[in-house]
Amino acid sequence: FTDLDGTLLDENQNLSTGNRKTLSELGEKGVCRVVVTGRSLFSASRVLKPDFPIDVLVTSSGAGISRFPDKELLRSTTMNMDNVRRCIDLVDQIGLDFMVHDPLPNNHKFRWHRNLKRNSDFDNRLKAYSGHHKPLAQDVSNIGSATQLLVICPKDKNSRIHEILKNKLSNLTVIRTTSPLDQQSIWYEIFPQGTSKSDAADWVCNHFGLDSKTCLAVGNDYNDVDLLLWSNFSRIVANAPLCLRRQFTMVSDYRNDGFSEAVSEWWQSI
């Protein structure tokens, strides 16, 4: 199980020769290769060509699980209307900028609402998904279900916002990650309870009859923590935040094939 951006791919979303060779060799040995990303299926398809050497693609931090390369959707999670409305009321009351994503497989489409006067990362995401979004209607009584809410914060001093979201939405899953756009802003993804990278990994193991005790997990950011804790053999790449490098065993950064290094260490251990 490996994260995608900043772990397996470089800053230009390219797979290095070394990492491609490692993935291909794993396939030849009958090892199930799973990418677990925060990207939607639509977004992941922008960087994963049909010949990308993996077997399963987990998208939206665990909300969607698909075969690869045919992208047959095997599992998806959805937030019901009541929880969507409750999330909207809370984040709007706090004064945050947010996006409400449609149910899978169309969760690259979303409705948005902004409260802050300046939020360049929010603006950049709107540009990146031009043609796939519209402003959220003032009346949300008929909002319907959603895959997730995405809250984009320029900063969160002392994790105050994170604590409020976790406490007020204790029956849901709140995942923190660093913005893949500006590498600085903080994203809070709100999902139905049980939606996470580790839950998806566990489901994949059960579905395909894999031994979860022997799995490797590789990541680089806060939204990978639950997956890294779930695995008995986990590695963090050297470009990860300092607190994560202190928490998990480190390998080289994504520019120096840290993923391949992690695979080599894991293979020697089993």
Side-chain angles (χ1 to χ4, degrees):
F1 294 91
T2 176
D3 175 57
L4 189 61
D5 298 281
T7 301
L8 187 60
L9 302 183
D10 65 20
E11 63 268 35
N12 297 312
Q13 290 81 53
N14 293 320
L15 180 66
S16 70
T17 300
N19 284 342
R20 178 174 290 275
K21 180 181 178 183
T22 296
L23 285 170
S24 296
E25 290 175 346
L26 288 173
E28 292 169 0
K29 293 174 179 177
V31 175
C32 184
R33 303 155 297 177
V34 187
V35 158
V36 190
T37 177
R39 287 177 179 260
S40 66
L41 184 60
F42 174 85
S43 176
S45 297
R46 288 176 166 177
V47 296
L48 301 182
K49 303 305 179 184
D51 64 345
F52 201 89
I54 60 171
D55 307 293
V56 180
L57 175 60
V58 176
T59 55
S60 301
S61 298
I65 303 175
S66 305
R67 293 183 186 274
F68 197 87
D70 63 17
K71 299 175 187 173
E72 175 193 353
L73 190 61
L74 301 175
R75 181 203 189 209
S76 63
T77 61
T78 305
M79 189 186 302
N80 65 41
M81 180 176 65
D82 290 341
N83 280 326
V84 173
R85 285 200 305 241
R86 192 160 63 89
C87 290
I88 290 174
D89 289 344
L90 176 62
V91 296
D92 194 31
Q93 179 183 351
I94 300 172
L96 304 173
D97 294 342
F98 63 93
M99 300 165 178
V100 183
H101 286 257
D102 289 0
L104 281 152
N106 297 314
N107 59 323
H108 59 287
K109 298 180 180 181
F110 58 87
R111 287 153 287 177
W112 55 269
H113 180 75
R114 66 186 313 154
N115 286 291
L116 301 176
K117 291 183 179 179
R118 303 178 68 177
N119 191 339
S120 59
D121 199 56
F122 189 87
D123 296 334
N124 289 337
R125 195 165 192 270
L126 291 180
K127 291 178 183 177
Y129 285 87
S130 178
H132 298 289
H133 59 77
K134 59 184 178 182
L136 182 68
Q138 186 172 2
D139 181 7
V140 297
S141 58
N142 296 313
I143 185 67
S145 58
T147 295
Q148 70 181 99
L149 266 75
L150 172 62
V151 180
I152 298 181
C153 306
K155 58 183 178 180
D156 184 9
K157 188 176 181 180
N158 299 322
S159 298
R160 182 184 66 86
I161 295 173
H162 194 193
E163 290 304 314
I164 292 174
L165 293 176
K166 287 194 301 181
N167 291 334
K168 296 290 186 179
L169 303 173
S170 58
N171 68 322
L172 301 173
T173 299
V174 180
I175 300 175
R176 174 185 175 176
T177 188
T178 305
S179 167
L181 301 180
D182 69 4
Q183 310 298 325
Q184 296 179 358
S185 298
I186 299 169
W187 288 11
Y188 291 118
E189 299 179 280
I190 306 171
F191 290 100
Q193 190 172 47
T195 301
S196 65
K197 290 190 174 187
S198 59
D199 181 75
D202 207 45
W203 188 93
V204 167
C205 287
N206 289 330
H207 183 77
F208 291 100
L210 307 175
D211 183 1
S212 61
K213 295 179 181 179
T214 62
C215 290
L216 163 69
V218 191
N220 80 308
D221 205 354
Y222 299 103
N223 65 339
D224 299 315
V225 169
D226 68 289
L227 176 66
L228 297 173
L229 290 172
W230 169 85
S231 171
N232 288 329
F233 196 101
S234 58
R235 291 292 185 267
I236 196 87
V237 289
N239 48 284
L242 178 60
C243 60
L244 299 186
R245 284 182 273 140
R246 288 174 173 171
Q247 184 176 1
F248 299 100
T249 302
M250 187 176 67
V251 290
S252 299
D253 64 23
Y254 68 105
R255 292 190 181 95
N256 292 289
D257 293 344
F259 167 76
S260 295
E261 183 179 327
V263 169
S264 177
E265 294 178 2
W266 167 72
W267 194 254
Q268 293 175 26
S269 73
I270 58 176

